[in-house]
Amino acid sequence: MTSVQDSSATDSAATLRAAMVDELRTTGDAIKTGQVAAAVGRVPRHLFAPDEPLEAVYAANKALVIKRDGNGAALSSLSAAHIQAVMLEQAELEPGMRVLEVGSGGYNAALIQEMVGDGGSVTSVDIDQEIVSRARACLDAAGYRNVEVVAADAEAGVPEKAPYDRIIVTAGAWDIPPAWQEQLTNGGRLVVPLRLRGLTRSIAFDRVDEDGDVGLVSRSYRLCGFVPMQGIGTFRERLVPITDEVVLRVDDPSQEFDVEGLRDALATPRLERWSGAAFDLPDELEFFLVTNLAQVAHLHVDETQVQNGRFAPSAARGVPTLVSGGSFAYRTKRPNEKTGGFESGVVAHGPDADRVAEHYVELLRRWASDHRRSGAAHIRYVPKAAGTPAPSVGLVPKRHGAVAVRWP
Ligand SMILES: C[S@@+](CC[C@H](N)C(=O)[O-])C[C@H]1O[C@@H](n2cnc3c(N)ncnc32)[C@H](O)[C@@H]1O
């Protein structure tokens, strides 16, 4: 029996849900189509996080942690509605489609089920049996019994239900396992939060079959953050300490560093170069930089290093850094008095400071003059033919292939 309390909670949830849809449509730049708006408006998100306050469940930008590991790191979460809506828009789901969701929780699968309708099918796979059981219970409680939830490492996909028109990955991936491409229909789409040189973007790839070769070609990409993939596809970044307060974060396992030389460089005076170009769209600029610097690492310094004037503030937040022998250069900014806003520039240290600063500043200028807009990059995933390609400008080697990024 529904109590007065229950029905008023249902009413509050419906009001908050309508407000969330509105926000995702207007200010959030997430919902663009009526189909996604209708799905988010229909699925009772609070039934997938029953112990959380309604205000938290229906906050457009809030992810709710469902499970943590022994060190407190999130293993599973109900992702923020904002990124879920963004990815559903990227997926361009249609009624009747067959969809695989990697990473379960129930809510996103229910949204997908709403969009593909009774003629479509939704399979959701999670590596964690506890999450699978929880998702099953939430889906049943919300009335989505036809969504199938499977316990498995998604590295192998779910071949029993393949092929899929869409695969939507909701955990942070470092690579694209061959099974995901193989289990897509020709022309099918994979939406995946893919990590490239320390940055993660949700990339919508279409499968293209050309002359017997299968490849993936990007249609769009958006900023995102996800809990990391577990199982066979797990990836651990490398931390290279230069001092106790200065660390490099690196993806490429083969990249070597002259740690002593870099430590000496810290003691050399800082060289500044200014680009004369505007600093804006920082997320897009970062993506341009990491895909155009072959020897890139992310510099992270302790806040005290900024306070004592040894580093620019960007280094405390983490910044793409060009490392060459015992020299390095990273991006900074300063107010632009003439035009308003900011001008981008570079800070460099070490015996080769001039050269690395010049190279970096030239990239800042090139981005500002030729590429400064959202979504400019073309991304291709090329399965590995033979051998491992060396990292180079625009080419990021992975285990099963390589990601080629071109800025037209
Ligand atoms: C952000 S949560 C998924 C959220 C979910 N889609 C929702 O609607 O709330 C990411 C999930 O990916 C799962 N996961 C991580 N690695 C996996 C793997 N190799 N195979 C399948 N699932 C995996 C985690 O257990 C976690 O539950």
Side-chain angles (χ1 to χ4, degrees), residues 45 48 63-64 66-67 74-80 84 101-112 124-129 131-132 134-135 150-157 168-172 180 225-234:
R45 184 170 161 94
F48 297 86
L64 299 168
I66 304 293
K67 185 171 177 176
L75 288 175
S76 186
S77 60
L78 170 54
S79 304
Q84 290 176 319
E101 180 196 42
V102 172
S104 310
Y107 175 66
N108 195 49
L111 294 174
I112 298 169
S124 183
V125 57
D126 202 287
I127 198 166
D128 186 331
Q129 180 58 56
I131 297 296
V132 168
R134 185 186 178 283
V150 179
D153 187 333
E155 179 82 7
I168 301 177
V169 182
T170 66
W180 297 356
F226 271 91
V227 297
M229 193 70 70
Q230 303 167 47
I232 296 174
T234 302

Side-chain angles (χ1 to χ4, degrees), residues 134-404:
R134 185 186 178 283
R136 179 73 275 150
C138 292
L139 283 161
D140 288 349
Y144 294 93
R145 288 187 182 77
N146 43 355
V147 170
E148 185 137 354
V149 193
V150 179
D153 187 333
E155 179 82 7
V158 180
E160 306 79 38
K161 299 278 168 178
Y164 305 101
D165 301 297
R166 299 288 184 263
I167 298 179
I168 301 177
V169 182
T170 66
W174 190 75
D175 198 2
I176 297 176
W180 297 356
Q181 295 173 65
E182 287 156 15
Q183 291 172 25
L184 268 182
T185 53
N186 186 10
R189 183 169 293 179
L190 166 70
V191 182
V192 55
L194 186 65
R195 183 175 164 124
L196 292 171
R197 295 200 175 126
L199 301 183
T200 302
R201 296 290 181 269
S202 168
I203 307 177
F205 282 110
D206 281 354
R207 173 177 154 156
V208 287
D209 296 36
E210 285 164 355
D211 308 325
D213 288 335
V214 175
L216 295 167
V217 177
S218 74
R219 293 286 166 236
S220 65
Y221 60 91
R222 295 287 299 266
L223 183 70
C224 69
F226 271 91
V227 297
M229 193 70 70
Q230 303 167 47
I232 296 174
T234 302
F235 170 75
R236 298 247 176 279
E237 69 179 2
R238 203 156 49 108
L239 295 180
V240 181
I242 308 301
T243 67
D244 286 348
E245 295 86 17
V246 180
V247 173
L248 296 175
R249 210 160 51 76
V250 192
D251 271 18
D252 177 1
S254 66
Q255 202 170 333
E256 289 176 4
F257 294 92
D258 174 4
V259 173
E260 247 172 59
L262 291 169
R263 199 173 298 135
D264 292 345
L266 297 179
T268 64
R270 113 201 209 155
L271 175 84
E272 285 183 9
R273 286 274 182 279
W274 295 96
S275 69
F279 171 80
D280 58 8
L281 297 175
D283 300 324
E284 199 66 16
L285 171 61
E286 301 272 277
F287 193 48
F288 176 78
L289 290 171
V290 300
T291 53
N292 279 280
L293 290 166
Q295 291 294 309
V296 71
H298 290 260
L299 173 69
H300 286 258
V301 307
D302 194 87
E303 189 63 47
T304 53
Q305 299 295 301
V306 176
Q307 283 155 11
N308 67 20
R310 291 180 72 186
F311 282 89
S314 57
R317 290 187 292 271
V319 62
T321 298
L322 168 60
V323 184
S324 177
S327 302
F328 66 96
Y330 64 96
R331 177 193 61 66
T332 184
K333 66 176 183 184
R334 68 179 177 187
N336 190 332
E337 255 110 60
K338 275 195 237 135
T339 59
F342 291 92
E343 176 188 4
S344 60
V346 170
V347 174
H349 292 261
D352 255 350
D354 241 327
R355 188 180 56 80
V356 287
E358 205 41 55
H359 180 64
Y360 204 125
V361 98
E362 191 273 324
L363 275 182
L364 293 174
R365 289 191 187 117
R366 185 144 62 85
W367 186 77
S369 64
D370 300 347
H371 311 290
R372 194 176 68 203
R373 60 184 198 282
S374 293
H378 289 192
I379 309 166
R380 270 184 90 92
Y381 187 88
V382 193
K384 191 178 284 182
T388 306
S392 61
V393 167
L395 190 77
V396 186
K398 297 287 179 182
R399 287 186 196 120
H400 304 293
V403 184

